[in-house]
Amino acid sequence: MAVSPKTYPHNVTPSNRTARPPLPLSYSNRRLLLSLGPFPVRSRFFEALTMALIVEKTSAGREYKVKDLSQADFGRLEIELAEVEMPGLMACRSEYGPSKPFAGARISGSLHMTIQTAVLIETLTALGAEVRWCSCNIFSTQDHAAAAIARDSAAVFAWKGETLAEYWWCTERALDWGTGGGPDLIVDDGGDATLLIHEGVKAEEEYEKSGKLPDPASTDNVEFQLVLGIIRDGLKVDPKKYHKMKERLVGVSEETTTGVKRLYQMQASGSLLFPAINVNDSVTKSKVRYVIPGSRILGFLLFFVLLVFSHSHALDLQMLWEHITDMQLFLDLFHSIVEHMSDLCSHLILCCGSNNTCFLFDNLYGCRHSLPDGLMRATDVMIAGKVGVVCGYGDVGKGCAAALKQAGARVIVTEIDPICALQALMEGIPVLPLEDVVAEADIFVTTTGNKDIIMVDHMKKMKNNAIVCNIGHFDNEIDMHGLETYPGIKRITIKPQTDRWVFPKTNSGIIVLAEGRLMNLGCATGHPSFVMSCSFTNQVIAQLELWKERKSGKYEKKVYVLPKHLDEKVAALHLGKLGAKLTKLTPEQAEYINVAVEGPYKPAHYRY
Ligand SMILES: NC(=O)c1ccc[n+]([C@@H]2O[C@H](COP(=O)([O-])OP(=O)(O)OC[C@H]3O[C@@H](n4cnc5c(N)ncnc54)[C@H](O)[C@@H]3O)[C@@H](O)[C@H]2O)c1
């Protein structure tokens, strides 16, 4: 099976050439928010490698690096189970598979290497693509899924418990298509693959101009040091490596809020190197609130500008007024025009990159499922009767609070936003600052996408064995640095991703899950197949769209969302599986509510 191993120039050396269980984990000692501007980054140091960084090959000649290829049969069985739960992806296979629309396309993915992702990968290959893959999180790989894909379908570089150095080595491998540049398309989750290419191109331009190589010592950011090291080593071998990748790339489809934020920032600064489709804000992945604060006022203003304009040009307002004899009719007309103007303003604002108001569909239902799953697998603690604090009541927070409530916990929410706070109250959930409840609660979950939410000062006031975990994308919501450097603190690893941290003197401890990273992927298996089928069907459609339009110039170096009728299609593909049957609109009804019989059924501004 493993023939002609290939080593790569790299700034890390394997500690040992055979696979072995992960070493006890180590931490970075800083909050790392430096060279990447506003982007949150991971804070975990690497001190030792868990795997020899050697690319292996299957008998078919496909490259891979996974923990244990012998788990492939187990992975295959679970992939087959997941296929039944992922009707959207399977429908893509039947609809597009025969024509092989991806023939000749190279797709690189950086997205949690789970069973559900395996079904996505095999959908892409069924449509004709060649695929290389890595995970977008050091803890999220399911090793049996990686093994099955490596053996059967695509080049995979991923294992559970990667160090940061290993993580970036895997990312680099997923983008490495040998001679002839890199991938044609990227499926990204969080934006790390996109980031590596952008940083690579920047460094190559600097090298060409001044002969200067990137210097890892120029930053305190441990993770960024690794990125710079990789780029520096690559430059020595091929000073145009990332330029060639950029030239070849047709575009990226991005899975999550954090990655989308990065893309919009790049679009705003003019530094985005290729087109991007924001899959995150598809309705079947998320719920975009198109009505943006202030847009009604803008709509009003726009209405009056148009009124004055039409008056000064052609329309006789006196005559118009005479025709509007019915006051109610006038008010309806006025209201409708302002609404349309405000929609227009909202769209204009959104098009300018204001992507701050999305409610995620899979976040709500996915986290409602996977939070308790992670809690139970990690601790097996009884949730009923406990007090659970959910920090942040956005969509992830709503899913988490609902799950804890349904399991019998008493839930308290912390919020900064009065609207979300009011929503919590309307669900019967008290809203209080963390400081007020820190000593009473048993389970703490951060879901804010913000930083510095639970600090060490909070943790030391908690009850003995209070559970502290994060389900937000990055690792900076919980103050792990403060915890690990607390004088006299003792860490007891109960099992991987479940640690008890014992404070000195009191001997009171807290249980931290997944080292402060997203616990539903670290301690459980992430979102279930059905909800991921919705998100991943959007991914396939986005990739197809980018590939189909690769020569037409339809997509510029900007960020796009998929049209609404495709969202409805994705939802429709999932109804049958749940035994639902839609009511058919009559033409009269359709006309009455002003939609087409075949949809879309809601205006763009509709909030689901
Ligand atoms: N683990 C997963 O499977 C998973 C899935 C999807 C999204 N995510 C991540 O979860 C995070 C949240 O996503 P979301 O869609 O719910 O975002 P959101 O913006 O809808 O919700 C976050 C909420 O936190 C609140 N908040 C911000 N700072 C706060 C503070 N200091 N204290 C209390 N509340 C605060 C905000 O007001 C907001 O209501 C993001 O990082 C996202 O990428 C994780």
Side-chain angles (χ1 to χ4, degrees):
M1 190 68 77
V3 293
S4 66
K6 180 163 117 190
T7 49
Y8 285 84
H10 201 269
N11 57 344
V12 289
T13 44
S15 58
N16 152 348
R17 294 175 68 88
T18 52
R20 59 188 163 78
L23 296 172
L25 303 172
S26 54
Y27 291 97
S28 112
N29 293 323
R30 271 157 285 194
R31 285 283 120 222
L32 306 171
L33 290 167
L34 301 169
S35 4
L36 301 182
F39 309 149
V41 294
R42 297 173 187 80
S43 63
R44 188 170 181 252
F45 249 143
F46 78 96
E47 281 173 0
L49 301 175
T50 62
M51 301 269 276
L53 297 185
I54 298 168
V55 172
E56 295 176 60
K57 281 191 182 176
T58 64
S59 46
R62 197 172 34 246
E63 294 185 341
Y64 73 93
K65 187 71 194 175
V66 299
K67 176 109 71 206
D68 179 5
L69 209 58
S70 72
Q71 292 187 32
D73 285 341
F74 171 35
R76 179 54 50 196
L77 290 174
E78 288 219 332
I79 289 170
E80 283 166 12
L81 284 184
E83 284 172 354
V84 180
E85 280 285 296
M86 302 188 86
L89 288 182
M90 299 315 277
C92 287
R93 289 190 200 178
S94 359
E95 184 171 340
Y96 305 110
S99 62
K100 299 271 177 276
F102 282 134
R106 299 165 164 184
I107 301 180
S108 288
S110 164
L111 197 157
H112 309 291
M113 185 53 253
T114 60
I115 290 290
Q116 292 71 32
T117 303
V119 184
L120 168 64
I121 291 171
E122 293 193 336
T123 304
L124 297 172
T125 55
L127 271 55
E130 211 185 324
V131 176
R132 292 175 78 85
W133 212 266
C134 63
S135 207
C136 64
N137 182 286
I138 59 173
F139 291 139
S140 64
T141 297
Q142 289 173 258
D143 289 318
H144 58 316
I149 291 298
R151 185 191 65 183
D152 302 337
S153 321
V156 178
F157 306 89
W159 54 94
K160 190 173 181 76
E162 292 160 3
T163 64
L164 283 178
E166 289 167 344
Y167 172 84
W168 283 101
W169 180 86
C170 291
T171 307
E172 200 190 5
R173 297 285 70 73
L175 292 171
D176 179 1
W177 290 81
T179 50
D184 296 301
L185 294 159
I186 293 177
V187 177
D188 219 351
D189 183 351
D192 279 353
T194 304
L195 173 94
L196 184 56
I197 296 174
H198 279 75
E199 289 300 327
V201 167
K202 207 156 75 180
E204 285 173 3
E205 279 167 4
E206 180 61 39
Y207 182 67
E208 192 175 5
K209 216 165 55 191
S210 65
K212 237 171 86 186
L213 285 168
D215 178 11
S218 63
T219 172
D220 284 352
N221 181 326
V222 178
E223 187 159 10
F224 200 57
Q225 287 172 1
L226 291 166
V227 174
L228 291 181
I230 281 175
I231 295 171
R232 178 201 56 201
D233 294 349
L235 257 172
K236 289 180 193 161
V237 180
D238 178 0
K240 287 281 172 205
K241 174 176 161 177
Y242 291 101
H243 272 84
K244 285 183 218 158
M245 272 191 208
K246 177 191 87 165
E247 294 313 322
R248 187 176 177 120
L249 253 169
V250 170
V252 59
S253 56
E254 170 56 53
E255 176 77 5
T256 199
T257 323
T258 308
V260 163
K261 275 186 186 155
R262 286 182 177 185
L263 288 171
Y264 279 113
Q265 281 163 345
M266 286 192 255
Q267 174 181 274
S269 67
S271 60
L272 187 62
L273 295 175
F274 34 79
I277 293 189
N278 161 7
V279 169
N280 184 62
D281 290 330
S282 296
V283 183
T284 38
K285 170 81 165 79
S286 46
K287 265 171 64 167
V288 180
R289 272 196 271 157
Y290 279 97
V291 177
I292 296 202
S295 65
R296 281 217 167 75
I297 297 169
L298 280 172
F300 231 96
L301 289 175
L302 201 53
F303 172 63
F304 277 108
V305 167
L306 284 177
L307 213 58
V308 170
F309 178 80
S310 58
H311 177 57
S312 62
H313 279 70
L315 263 180
D316 184 337
L317 285 182
Q318 185 66 37
M319 264 179 63
L320 185 68
W321 183 244
E322 278 165 15
H323 278 86
I324 304 173
T325 45
D326 179 343
M327 198 49 167
Q328 188 57 47
L329 181 71
F330 171 75
L331 288 176
D332 284 349
L333 186 69
F334 178 77
H335 182 249
S336 148
I337 293 174
V338 168
E339 278 298 303
H340 278 89
M341 292 302 169
S342 73
D343 282 350
L344 181 66
C345 292
S346 291
H347 278 89
L348 286 175
I349 295 168
L350 271 182
C351 291
C352 293
S354 173
N355 170 52
N356 55 356
T357 51
C358 64
F359 274 168
L360 301 179
F361 177 91
D362 84 355
N363 293 12
L364 175 62
Y365 303 122
C367 291
R368 195 176 68 181
H369 173 101
S370 56
L371 171 84
D373 188 12
L375 281 172
M376 289 181 221
R377 290 194 204 210
T379 65
D380 207 16
V381 77
M382 182 149 184
I383 297 173
K386 300 285 192 306
V387 176
V389 176
V390 177
C391 301
Y393 198 68
D395 231 38
V396 170
K398 287 181 177 75
C400 292
L404 292 177
K405 222 173 141 187
Q406 278 158 19
R410 287 160 288 156
V411 181
I412 297 165
V413 152
T414 75
E415 249 303 340
I416 50 157
D417 179 337
I419 297 176
C420 298
L422 195 55
Q423 286 179 314
L425 292 167
M426 292 296 152
E427 294 296 326
I429 302 172
V431 180
L432 292 166
L434 188 59
E435 290 68 25
D436 289 16
V437 293
V438 75
E440 276 100 58
D442 306 279
I443 301 168
F444 296 84
V445 190
T446 56
T447 77
T448 67
N450 202 343
K451 62 172 184 159
D452 300 341
I453 303 302
I454 299 184
M455 306 306 288
V456 72
D457 278 345
H458 296 125
M459 292 187 258
K460 70 181 186 204
K461 292 182 190 136
M462 288 176 183
K463 277 183 181 175
N464 186 40
N465 282 6
I467 298 169
V468 180
C469 60
N470 164 52
I471 199 165
H473 191 80
F474 278 119
D475 66 343
N476 50 3
E477 301 206 26
I478 298 171
D479 179 19
M480 292 307 297
H481 168 59
L483 190 62
E484 81 195 40
T485 55
Y486 190 85
I489 193 98
K490 208 160 79 190
R491 175 186 178 183
I492 302 162
T493 298
I494 294 160
K495 58 185 172 184
Q497 284 89 60
T498 306
D499 294 299
R500 185 160 184 268
W501 292 82
V502 184
F503 288 95
K505 292 188 195 139
T506 60
N507 246 357
S508 176
I510 56 162
I511 296 169
V512 178
L513 306 188
E515 303 182 17
R517 291 160 193 278
L518 32 81
M519 57 76 78
N520 59 336
L521 281 140
C523 302
T525 55
H527 294 346
S529 303
F530 192 79
V531 86
M532 290 320 293
S533 179
C534 295
S535 308
F536 286 169
T537 306
N538 282 303
Q539 279 286 6
V540 173
I541 288 172
Q543 291 279 310
L544 278 171
E545 178 68 8
L546 285 167
W547 186 240
K548 182 163 72 84
E549 301 295 341
R550 64 191 180 280
K551 290 185 186 138
S552 71
K554 178 174 173 187
Y555 294 107
E556 298 171 43
K557 292 173 188 169
K558 289 183 183 159
V559 189
Y560 298 85
V561 288
L562 291 171
K564 196 176 184 70
H565 71 272
L566 290 177
D567 262 322
E568 289 183 354
K569 178 173 174 167
V570 171
L573 288 173
H574 291 84
L575 295 179
K577 167 80 184 145
L578 299 179
K581 285 186 191 157
L582 284 176
T583 301
K584 285 219 180 320
L585 266 182
T586 64
E588 295 74 27
Q589 286 176 321
E591 196 188 344
Y592 187 70
I593 61 169
N594 196 24
V595 298
V597 172
E598 66 285 357
Y601 299 104
K602 299 283 190 297
H605 63 265
Y606 184 80
R607 280 173 280 176
Y608 289 83

